Amino acid sequence: MPTTTQKSELKCYHCGEQCEQDSLAIGEKIFCCQGCKLVFEVLAENNLCTYYDLESFPGESQKSKTSRANRFDYLEDQSTVDQLLDFKNERESHVSFYIPLIHCASCIWLLENLYQVHQGIISSRVDFIKKKVQVKFLNEGISLKELVGLLSMLGYEPKISLAAIDQKKTSTVDRRTVKRLAVAGFCFGNMMLFSIPEYFSEAELIAENFRGLFNYLNVILALPVVLYSASDYYLSAWNAFKQRQINMDVPIVLGIIALFFYSLWEIFALGNGGYMDSLGGLLFFLLLGKVYQQKTFATLEFDRDYKSYFPIAVTRLVQDREEVIPVTKLEVGDLILVRDEELIPADSLLMSSSASIDYSFVTGEEVPVLKRKGELIYAGGKQKGEAVILTVQKSPSQGYLTDLWNNEAFEKGKEKLLEPLSNRISGVFTWTVLIIATGAFGFWASSDMPLAVKAFTSVLIVACPCALAMSTPFTLGNSLRIFGRSKFYLKNASVVERMALIDTVVFDKTGTLTDPKRAKVDYQGDPLSEETKSILKSLVSRSSHPLSHRINFWLGEIPSLNLDGAEEQKGKGIQAYYKGQLIRLGSAAFTGFSSSHSKEIGNYVYLVIEGFEIGYFRILSGLRAEAGQVVKSLDPAYELHLLSGDHPHEQASLKEKLGPSIHFNFLQSPSDKLDYLGKLNQFGRQTLMVGDGLNDAGAIQKSRVGVALTDTITHFSPASDAILDATAFHLIPNFLGFAKQSRKIIKLSFGLSFLYNVAGVSLAVQGILSPVICAVLMPLSSISVVVFTTLATNVVAWKRGLLTPKNN
């Protein structure tokens, strides 16, 4: 009989389920099924048993899966595979899976070590909040079907729904937390009912023998609260201990244990009422606060998708006519034109004869890949060279482009930022709370043990670093939303903080301070025939340079012609062949134009066909209407610089319009601009670079904060930290001022959090606050910080003109 009892209590080493027999054993480790045993063997063979050290029974039972080995056969269909993959080349493929079973540190650890389980997997990255895993794997090493099967065997079967591939996962409240809250609420309500005689102890409401019965009933009701409702806090604290850390759940767990066992002693040893009702209320209000936090995070939705905050536009071809549309309106089957250095927004088939695609944005490899007509080109690639025509095969993946933008390769340092500082303070804070609670207990224990337990528990509960930890993400998250509404799109929250530290602003001239719509184009030379104009139209349409855009606008609705061998050299010019003749358009040095002509103010673009000098365009780049006001608003708070690849003949005119305080630098090549930013950084300047992301992409990457200003947003530079719509150019001083105010709001919320904790702890150590009141105050502190940061950022934004009826 004892043997049978012992066997019935055996738990699977992998998933924790009851084992009916111990025949499936490896040493002292018992498994409930062959599936769980197989998972353990795979992990053991690859030295990955640390998985079981981070969490007890972290795996999922494999019993129900062993009989469904063919359920992934649909992944042998190539069209289905192509629909699921984010990227594929001859060597590797990338795929993203939604795995709802990710729930703990063990899950993250194992899923990010998949490359040790199978040699065909290159790497994997887990997004715990989204419960998403991005996997890169070798095409010859493992198939998509085998990869999904491996994940399923490990207990992390992806949730694949082909009908909902492009649907955004919405943040919802954890149902497990809601169930725990419901249990705590039910038990708390009934415990209060059974405690009424204790509340009115002076009145004889019931017989004395019933009073004891009600106390015992409270103990029974407290068991599900302590064992079930509080289980997440135990797991969190235990995981922290195993990693030799102290998190914010440790004080809560100590308070729960102290209150529970002291109440047991009071009830069974002394015959008193205990504090079981207080314990029920404590867990109820703690879980209620957790649900509130989850709801708030879901409402604010800091994790942005490209439809809301990734303003890429694309050139669509409709009956040989070009139209620029937002990427959100892109549909399967649309024909799009992608020029040199432009981003491919969606998986598409190449319709042109060839293309040179740079996938460094996706894979990190900068070597362009040659593609032929009819081949599939994946989203995230950049065309190098002649403009190409593509037909869209798949709608843009929700969040995929934004994930690429936030690639670690483009991440900048977080020195001097408050976000990591708040995390460090929270760690020190927890230790401080434990010391104060222990001191309060020691002080009162000798004279009043009930008061000592009450003070100990109250201090542990009321002192909460949640408000401190939440102040930074909530402030920055709301700031991101406000910036986005004003057409200033930031990559992530840390950019807001870096903007607050800026003391130097660097402007590129062409395309940034100048407005393409205000440009004046004047042609001098041989008369241009309709055929020559069509050739020019084809050339400038393939170029991403601002001067090409101005000539394109000047030419108007002239049809273009098919050219061969089009090639653009950055900052110099573009050339192509038409009927065997070489046509060059660009600088005098590039085209070989040597004829003398009057050098008036302006930018010159020369046209040479087969060595014959046809003529030149003189382009007067008119400043943006708000340029002068923007520069004057930034002076003298910021050190101002201007970089330009043009000759200095406009310096006098620019100084008159922009003011004498700005530092002018002309004849700057892209590498010169990069070096210039590098020198400013060496001198300790906190630089903001505003450019068009074309010839100044390197300088944008080098700066502390890089902003790509754009009129059509067809060109996107992954090196930029932000994209600024040209219509919001005049708001640059407001954006910088708002960023500084946001940082001050974070500091004020720090102060508010500390003030709450000092006041709460001061009352708790005296035993004035009961644990239930502390449990109510704990979420209220978080609510107060959220309300304060939200209202404060909205008020500051409204005062700076960033929240108006138009963009609110």
Side-chain angles (χ1 to χ4, degrees):
M1 195 71 173
T3 307
T4 305
T5 306
Q6 185 179 2
K7 284 188 176 182
S8 66
E9 294 177 353
L10 291 176
K11 288 188 176 182
C12 176
Y13 183 73
H14 177 71
C15 68
E17 286 197 5
Q18 295 290 339
C19 297
E20 297 176 0
Q21 42 81 29
D22 59 359
S23 60
L24 297 175
I26 300 177
E28 297 180 355
K29 300 174 180 65
I30 310 299
F31 301 94
C32 64
C33 64
Q34 287 286 354
C36 288
K37 181 182 176 184
L38 177 61
V39 175
F40 173 79
E41 289 173 343
V42 170
L43 297 178
E45 286 174 6
N46 294 278
N47 297 318
L48 295 175
C49 285
T50 305
Y51 175 65
Y52 298 102
D53 296 335
L54 296 175
E55 180 95 4
S56 299
F57 314 121
E60 184 192 20
S61 175
Q62 304 293 304
K63 286 182 180 178
S64 60
K65 298 184 178 182
T66 53
S67 61
R68 295 182 288 137
N70 65 338
R71 66 189 183 282
F72 301 126
D73 285 352
Y74 69 95
L75 294 176
E76 293 178 350
D77 178 58
Q78 191 57 45
S79 61
T80 302
V81 172
D82 291 340
Q83 191 177 2
L84 290 171
L85 290 179
D86 294 330
F87 170 78
K88 181 180 181 181
N89 60 18
E90 294 179 357
R91 176 178 176 271
E92 65 186 72
S93 296
H94 302 177
V95 66
S96 299
F97 292 124
Y98 173 62
I99 302 180
L101 293 171
I102 298 174
H103 69 282
C104 67
S106 292
C107 304
I108 298 172
W109 184 86
L110 178 59
L111 290 171
E112 292 195 341
N113 282 275
L114 289 176
Y115 67 93
Q116 296 188 51
V117 179
H118 197 291
Q119 294 182 348
I121 297 174
I122 302 171
S123 65
S124 51
R125 186 176 65 179
V126 176
D127 187 328
F128 182 74
I129 301 298
K130 294 181 180 179
K131 298 189 182 299
K132 186 176 75 172
V133 180
Q134 258 186 350
V135 184
K136 299 180 181 180
F137 60 95
L138 297 172
N139 298 330
E140 296 183 358
I142 186 173
S143 67
L144 184 63
K145 176 185 174 182
E146 292 170 338
L147 175 60
V148 173
L150 174 64
L151 288 169
S152 178
M153 186 267 291
L154 293 174
Y156 298 99
E157 183 171 328
K159 186 177 181 180
I160 301 175
S161 173
L162 298 179
I165 281 177
D166 194 42
Q167 292 181 3
K168 183 175 183 282
K169 302 288 187 303
T170 55
S171 299
T172 55
V173 176
D174 185 8
R175 292 180 64 185
R176 294 167 65 249
T177 304
V178 174
K179 289 179 181 178
R180 285 165 169 75
L181 175 65
V183 170
F186 172 80
C187 294
F188 173 48
N190 284 281
M191 282 191 284
M192 287 185 65
L193 181 65
F194 291 141
S195 299
I196 288 178
E198 295 294 330
Y199 301 153
F200 302 97
S201 56
E202 296 179 0
E204 291 293 335
L205 299 180
I206 58 173
E208 190 64 31
N209 55 341
F210 278 101
R211 189 187 299 269
L213 174 62
F214 285 172
N215 290 338
Y216 298 146
L217 289 174
N218 277 343
V219 173
I220 296 174
L221 287 170
L223 290 175
V225 175
V226 174
L227 299 178
Y228 175 70
S229 296
S231 58
D232 281 347
Y233 293 106
Y234 303 146
L235 288 173
S236 175
W238 177 242
N239 288 330
F241 270 125
K242 286 195 294 186
Q243 297 175 36
R244 297 181 179 179
Q245 296 177 353
I246 296 292
N247 64 11
M248 58 175 286
D249 289 331
V250 171
I252 295 174
V253 168
L254 291 177
I256 293 170
I257 293 173
L259 196 58
F260 178 67
F261 283 103
Y262 182 74
S263 296
L264 289 178
W265 182 66
E266 281 259 316
I267 293 171
F268 290 105
L270 303 181
N272 295 329
Y275 300 99
M276 291 302 182
D277 56 332
S278 298
L279 183 60
L282 168 66
L283 263 302
F284 175 74
F285 288 113
L286 285 176
L287 290 169
L288 189 64
K290 181 179 283 190
V291 170
Y292 166 77
Q293 289 183 20
Q294 291 177 359
K295 276 277 193 182
T296 307
F297 271 108
T299 302
L300 291 182
E301 191 56 52
F302 297 160
D303 231 355
R304 304 151 297 153
D305 60 48
Y306 79 97
K307 288 185 177 179
S308 300
Y309 291 98
F310 203 79
I312 296 177
V314 63
T315 303
R316 183 169 63 183
L317 299 178
V318 181
Q319 298 178 347
D320 294 329
R321 179 174 54 84
E322 297 180 10
E323 62 177 16
V324 178
I325 62 168
V327 73
T328 52
K329 295 185 178 180
L330 202 59
E331 298 178 356
V332 174
D334 284 347
L335 283 177
I336 58 175
L337 179 70
V338 179
R339 299 181 178 85
D340 182 36
E341 290 293 328
E342 287 186 355
L343 190 74
I344 296 166
D347 295 354
S348 307
L349 283 180
L350 179 62
M351 305 303 291
S352 301
S353 58
S354 64
S356 182
I357 307 298
D358 176 10
Y359 278 121
S360 60
F361 198 16
V362 183
T363 65
E365 298 179 4
E366 297 184 1
V367 179
V369 179
L370 183 64
K371 293 288 184 179
R372 298 295 182 185
K373 185 175 182 179
E375 288 191 58
L376 182 67
I377 300 177
Y378 289 93
K382 291 177 72 173
Q383 164 63 2
K384 293 282 191 179
E386 182 179 359
V388 294
I389 297 175
L390 305 164
T391 179
V392 177
Q393 296 296 298
K394 182 178 175 183
S395 297
S397 172
Q398 291 255 356
Y400 178 63
L401 297 176
T402 306
D403 287 343
L404 291 177
W405 193 16
N406 281 279
N407 191 296
E408 293 176 0
F410 306 113
E411 190 63 36
K412 298 180 179 178
K414 293 191 175 184
E415 301 84 4
K416 301 182 181 179
L417 302 191
L418 295 176
E419 190 171 11
L421 175 63
S422 66
N423 296 333
R424 292 197 299 271
I425 291 175
S426 296
V428 175
F429 184 92
T430 305
W431 278 109
T432 306
V433 170
L434 290 174
I435 294 171
I436 294 174
T438 304
F441 179 83
F443 179 81
W444 292 109
S446 59
S447 58
D448 191 340
M449 181 56 72
L451 183 60
V453 174
K454 182 180 179 182
F456 177 75
T457 307
S458 298
V459 169
L460 293 175
I461 301 303
V462 77
C464 176
C466 300
L468 182 66
M470 292 169 65
S471 59
T472 302
F474 272 78
T475 303
L476 297 181
N478 201 39
S479 299
L480 280 178
R481 285 152 43 96
I482 292 169
F483 279 130
R485 290 171 182 171
S486 301
K487 299 185 179 181
F488 188 36
Y489 309 95
L490 274 60
K491 179 163 64 175
N492 52 45
S494 65
V495 178
V496 182
E497 278 206 78
R498 291 205 300 271
M499 283 180 59
L501 301 172
I502 294 300
D503 56 24
T504 303
V505 180
V506 183
F507 291 101
D508 182 53
K509 184 178 81 74
T510 306
T512 303
L513 287 179
T514 58
D515 186 354
K517 298 175 184 177
R518 295 167 63 90
K520 296 180 181 179
V521 180
D522 179 36
Y523 173 75
Q524 298 291 330
D526 297 343
L528 298 174
S529 65
E530 291 300 313
E531 185 179 35
T532 305
K533 288 182 178 179
S534 294
I535 294 172
L536 280 172
K537 184 74 172 180
S538 300
L539 280 173
V540 295
S541 296
R542 286 165 166 79
S543 173
S544 55
H545 197 278
L547 295 180
S548 296
H549 294 168
R550 289 160 176 70
I551 297 174
N552 194 359
F553 184 78
W554 178 80
L555 288 169
E557 298 295 327
I558 293 176
S560 56
L561 296 173
N562 292 325
L563 303 179
D564 299 320
E567 180 183 354
E568 183 176 12
Q569 295 186 22
K570 293 299 175 190
K572 297 180 179 179
I574 184 171
Q575 66 179 29
Y577 288 91
Y578 178 70
K579 294 182 179 180
Q581 293 183 317
L582 177 62
I583 298 102
R584 286 189 167 185
L585 183 72
S587 66
F590 175 77
T591 59
F593 198 100
S594 58
S595 299
S596 60
H597 59 87
S598 60
K599 284 283 186 178
E600 300 180 42
I601 293 177
N603 296 297
Y604 289 84
V605 179
Y606 301 91
L607 175 63
V608 175
I609 301 178
E610 278 294 307
F612 291 98
E613 300 174 356
I614 306 300
Y616 59 87
F617 294 90
R618 175 172 168 259
I619 302 172
L620 291 173
S621 301
L623 286 175
R624 295 186 186 273
E626 314 90 351
Q629 185 59 42
V630 168
V631 171
K632 291 174 184 176
S633 298
L634 294 173
D635 182 45
Y638 300 89
E639 186 177 299
L640 303 174
H641 299 257
L642 181 143
L643 304 179
S644 174
D646 300 333
H647 289 272
H649 48 254
E650 289 185 282
Q651 181 168 341
S653 173
L654 289 172
K655 183 175 288 188
E656 180 181 348
K657 296 175 182 177
L658 300 178
S661 60
I662 192 167
H663 300 274
F664 292 93
N665 298 273
F666 293 93
L667 298 174
Q668 299 286 303
S669 67
S671 59
D672 292 333
K673 295 176 183 179
L674 176 63
D675 294 338
Y676 192 87
L677 265 294
K679 291 177 181 177
L680 287 175
N681 292 339
Q682 287 177 2
F683 287 120
R685 310 302 299 180
Q686 301 294 320
T687 53
L688 172 81
M689 174 72 191
V690 186
D692 55 17
L694 299 171
N695 297 327
D696 47 26
I700 285 177
Q701 167 68 15
K702 194 73 175 177
S703 62
R704 181 76 168 171
V705 176
V707 178
L709 180 77
T710 178
D711 290 277
T712 60
I713 324 178
T714 53
H715 178 86
F716 170 69
S717 172
S720 65
D721 298 294
I723 302 172
L724 175 61
D725 191 294
T727 57
F729 175 80
H730 64 287
L731 293 174
I732 288 178
N734 305 55
F735 292 142
L736 289 171
F738 177 61
K740 289 184 182 295
Q741 291 295 322
S742 296
R743 187 175 170 86
K744 290 181 180 178
I745 290 171
I746 294 174
K747 292 180 178 179
L748 287 173
S749 63
F750 278 4
L752 183 66
S753 176
F754 278 119
L755 182 64
Y756 154 79
N757 280 287
V758 169
V761 171
S762 299
L763 295 173
V765 294
Q766 301 176 58
I768 297 175
L769 296 179
S770 70
V772 175
I773 298 298
C774 294
V776 174
L777 291 177
M778 183 182 176
L780 282 178
S781 68
S782 300
I783 294 172
S784 64
V785 166
V786 171
V787 171
F788 170 74
T789 56
T790 303
L791 290 178
T793 48
N794 285 341
V795 168
V796 171
W798 178 75
K799 287 184 176 179
R800 292 189 172 274
L802 303 182
L803 277 184
T804 62
K806 184 178 179 180
N807 61 17
N808 194 8

